[in-house]
Structures are given as C-alpha cells and as structure tokens.
Amino acid sequence: MAQLWGGRFTKETDKLVYNFNASISFDKKLYKQDIEGSKAHAAMLGKQGIITKEEAGQILNALDEILSDVESGRLTISEEYEDIHSFVEANLIERLGDTGKKLHTGRSRNDQVALDMRLYIRGEIKEVDGLLYRLLKTILSIMESNTDTVMPGFTHLQKAQPITLAHHMGAYFEMFKRDRQRLYDIYRRMNYCPLGSGALAGTTYPLDREYTAEILGFYGPTLNSMDGVSDRDYLIEFLSAASTIMMHLSRFCEEVIIWNSNEYRFVELDDAYSTGSSIMPQKKNPDIAELVRGKTGRVYGALISMLTTMKGIPLAYNKDMQEDKELTFDAIDTVKGCIALFEGMLSTMKFHREVMEQSAKGGFTNATDAADYLVNHGVPFRDAHGIIGRIVLYCIDREIAIDDMSLEELKSFSDVFEQDVYQAISMETCVNKRLTIGAPGRLAMEKVIAIEKTYLENNLWKEKEHE
Ligand code: ARG
C-alpha cells in the first residue's frame, strides 16, 4: 500500500478500504496526461521562482525518463500505488530525492485529476472525430458511385417512394457530420485548464495559470477554482455525443441486418465481416452489425451513470467523481471500436443493385407519381388518389406492377391515361424529377455530393477559434 498521505493517521488503512478507494487499476491509463500536466506545473514553478530553475529542469528530465521507461516497458505501473498521481510522484522522488518532493507545491490531486481527465478527453475527441471522418469518406464514395442506383425508400418499413442508394447513404452522411460538429462544440467548450485550482480554493503561491494553460494547449485557465475541480459537464456532453453516434450507428446496423436478410438481399456482407453458425451450415450471420447495435446500450448506460453520479454532489471535489473514469474509458473504447468496425463492414459490403431496383419497382413506389400524372391532366388530387388506390388493388390481385398494365387496362380506371404515362411513372423519372435540394434526383444529389466533398476537404478543427 503506497499512498501520498498518512501524517495525521495513527492506524494503517484497512486493506479492503484501501482497495475500494484505490483507482490505479484504471487511472493508470492516464499516465501520459499525468506526466504532461506535471511537466507544465514544474516548468511554471521554476519560471515563477517557487522552485529553482535547476530543480525544475531536473524534475522535467526525470518526468521524461519516467514516461519513456513506462512506454518502453522498463517501468511497469504497479498497482501497489493508490493512483496514477502517487505512482508518478513516488517514482520522481525515487529518482530525485527531496527535489522530487517539491513537484506537488501549489497543487492538489483534485486539480491534477481534473486536468488529466480533460487532457485525455481532449485527445480522445480528436480520435473519435478522425474515425468519423474516415467513415464519412467511405459513405461519400458509395454516394458518388450510386446516384443512379434506384431502391425503395421506406416509411413504417413499408415501401414508400423510390430513392437512390446515394440518397439513403447521404442521410447517414448528414448524421455523422452533425456528430463531428457536436464533438467540435464540446472541444471548444471544455478546452480550459483547471490546473492551479488547487484543492478547491486556488493557492497562495504565485502560480501563473495562463502560462500552464498555454503550455498545455488550452485556450486559458478555468475561471472558478471550485468549478475547475468539480466540473464534469464536459464528460456528460461527451458521453451524450458518443451516445448519439452509437444511436446513428445502431440504426444503420439495423438496416444492414435487414438488407442482408434472405428476404431482402439488398446487400451481402463480406466473409471477413460475417460469422457462421456452429450447427446450421448455410448461415452467414451479421454479428458485427448486431454487436454494434447491442453495444449502444453500454454507451447510453455510461451517460446515465455519469448524470446520476453527479446529481447529488455538493461542491467541490468528492470521491464520487472517481467513478467518472471506468465508464468513460469503456464508452470511448466501445465507440471507437464500433466506428472502425462499422466502417470496415460498410466498405467491404456488396450492394445488389438489381435486387434493390427490382424491389423498388415491385412495391408500388411510383403510386404517388401515377397520382401526380392524373393531377397534371386535370384530375383533382383526392380523386386521383382514389383511382390509383383501386389500380394498386387490381395489381396486387394479379401480382403485377402498375407499369405492367396495358394502356386499355389503365384507361378502364381513367380515360385520362395516355401512352406517356409509362415514361412518367418509370423509376428513372420518379427519382430524377425530384430535384429540390435534398431530394434524390441525380442533379440534386450531385450538388449535395459537391458540398459534402468540400466539407471533407476543409479542416473542421480551427485550434484557436473559441468564444
Ligand atoms: N483518484 C481520484 C479521482 O479519480 C483522484 C483525486 C483524489 N483526490 C482526493 N482528494 N482524494 O478522482
């Protein structure tokens, strides 16, 4: 049991209590951030003359050594320490003796952990953003080559109107684009440095908080020391954004599962992204899509846990907050893994274009356009709706599409029909006449694709931009 305190205690901590309290088993993930933050603090202490320049230099070198020893495996983060902060400090003291003991001047583990976690999340936001960016690129390339791939668009999972695969993919493009924007917003709001908040009330040492904030790449220091040590809003926002990403992935997965079913056969998953059954030799299961859909619950769980943990905590730091880590780490690993796997599954998936097109044709998806044809020839819309309804019933009985009816058959429902109706209700026309921006018509889609391309070419991260 190695801990940083004990002076005012006369008894050893109970072993179970120690284990219950310790966080090293999971906060060891923060070793890099802890060292980075400690280096900034040491440099600032030296600049301010709170410790000497030589001492600061020695501390910086030793911290660098600790980092490289951990990374090379020479030094293992042993769980005999209470937390990552104790581990780093104990190692520093082992290397530098009394000089090492000076690092913690004007600092508390409360502002230290607040800083470590922010540094960590800040990095992870960019990682998740990078994965979303790759996914968007994949989606856009599917869009570019499928502006003419007609498929049914659904409402209530019933065939509704014809769209194109490009259009369907474009819907997800928009969703993931907003997910990136959300991450960027969170980044800009959270990128302030809590270091120097002390335990809760700042410190009497002449710290230069602007300096440490700048070294660490923050926009500036946080403006209230109580808030600095006890704000976890940014985690809640991040988990909320992560939950939204998972929700989007999960919807997409649900569609892939449906499309990959024997009944639909719109797509076929690559062997590398499917699994077999131990008993049924014919099976090729979409396990990856199902797992991504399933893991969504975990990430929602993290968000709700965090909100619940925070709701009753009086200011400022309380140990409840230590609970922020495991669930956030798990949510991050989950969301990153899911985006990457989903992207792999999508980019290797085969689309059965003829099946999609056939399905659009067979599902009366041109019924609205047939009604519009009548309207364009002077029939009031309500009457046109009734006529086409009766035609659909007629076709269902005979298992044919509207396009399969002869002109005489059509005329028996309304004498307005002429030869040009076939052209007016062809899938090609139905899609390509929908030309308002956002609609599936090829020309409208091409405009949108050009906009999305420019969006992907421009860097979303304008580092200096903040309120
Ligand atoms: N392990 C603690 C956490 O994760 C670090 C802060 C400890 N501070 C304290 N006053 N006990 O929140």
Side-chain angles (χ1 to χ4, degrees), residues 23 27 83 85 109-110 113 232 317 319 321-322 325:
S23 53
D27 66 16
D83 54 31
H85 324 299
R109 273 186 299 167
N110 296 353
V113 77
R232 298 292 183 276
Y317 179 84
K319 193 67 174 239
M321 290 175 183
Q322 180 167 289
K325 288 173 203 63

Side-chain angles (χ1 to χ4, degrees), residues 40-57:
H41 185 63
M44 182 276 295
L45 292 177
K47 177 182 92 71
Q48 296 298 92
I50 300 167
I51 59 177
T52 66
K53 289 236 158 50
E54 294 69 48
E55 288 168 333

Side-chain angles (χ1 to χ4, degrees), residues 378-428:
V379 181
F381 182 77
R382 210 27 76 205
D383 293 341
H385 190 282
I387 294 167
I388 302 298
R390 286 192 290 282
I391 289 180
V392 166
L393 209 55
Y394 177 89
C395 290
I396 290 173
D397 276 349
R398 286 159 184 74
E399 293 188 4
I400 55 170
I402 304 177
D403 324 44
D404 298 330
M405 290 171 72
S406 68
L407 191 56
E408 288 81 75
E409 279 174 300
L410 284 169
K411 274 189 181 296
S412 71
F413 288 89
S414 165
D415 52 16
V416 162
F417 284 118
E418 292 303 338
Q419 192 58 39
D420 63 349
V421 65
Y422 296 105
Q423 166 71 18
I425 64 169
S426 75
M427 290 294 120
E428 173 40 39

Side-chain angles (χ1 to χ4, degrees), residues 284-351:
K284 203 173 140 187
N285 294 329
D287 285 27
I288 301 307
E290 289 168 16
L291 262 178
V292 171
R293 187 178 60 182
K295 284 178 188 291
T296 304
R298 270 166 97 126
V299 179
Y300 289 7
L303 170 64
I304 299 299
S305 296
M306 195 67 217
L307 280 165
T308 312
T309 298
M310 292 307 291
K311 87 179 185 36
I313 304 183
L315 292 181
Y317 179 84
N318 294 258
K319 193 67 174 239
D320 317 40
M321 290 175 183
Q322 180 167 289
E323 284 296 305
D324 63 359
K325 288 173 203 63
E326 280 165 293
L327 54 91
T328 304
F329 295 159
D330 182 72
I332 290 175
D333 291 347
T334 305
V335 79
K336 278 165 53 179
C338 287
I339 302 171
L341 274 162
F342 186 88
E343 194 273 330
M345 180 177 73
L346 187 67
S347 59
T348 53
M349 198 160 84
K350 243 207 327 272
F351 294 96

Side-chain angles (χ1 to χ4, degrees), residues 40-41 43-50 106 193 195-196 203 205-216 220-221:
H41 185 63
M44 182 276 295
L45 292 177
K47 177 182 92 71
Q48 296 298 92
I50 300 167
C193 186
L195 187 63
T203 166
Y205 294 99
L207 306 186
D208 185 345
R209 293 196 59 210
E210 275 78 14
Y211 182 70
T212 39
E214 178 158 359
I215 298 182
L216 293 167

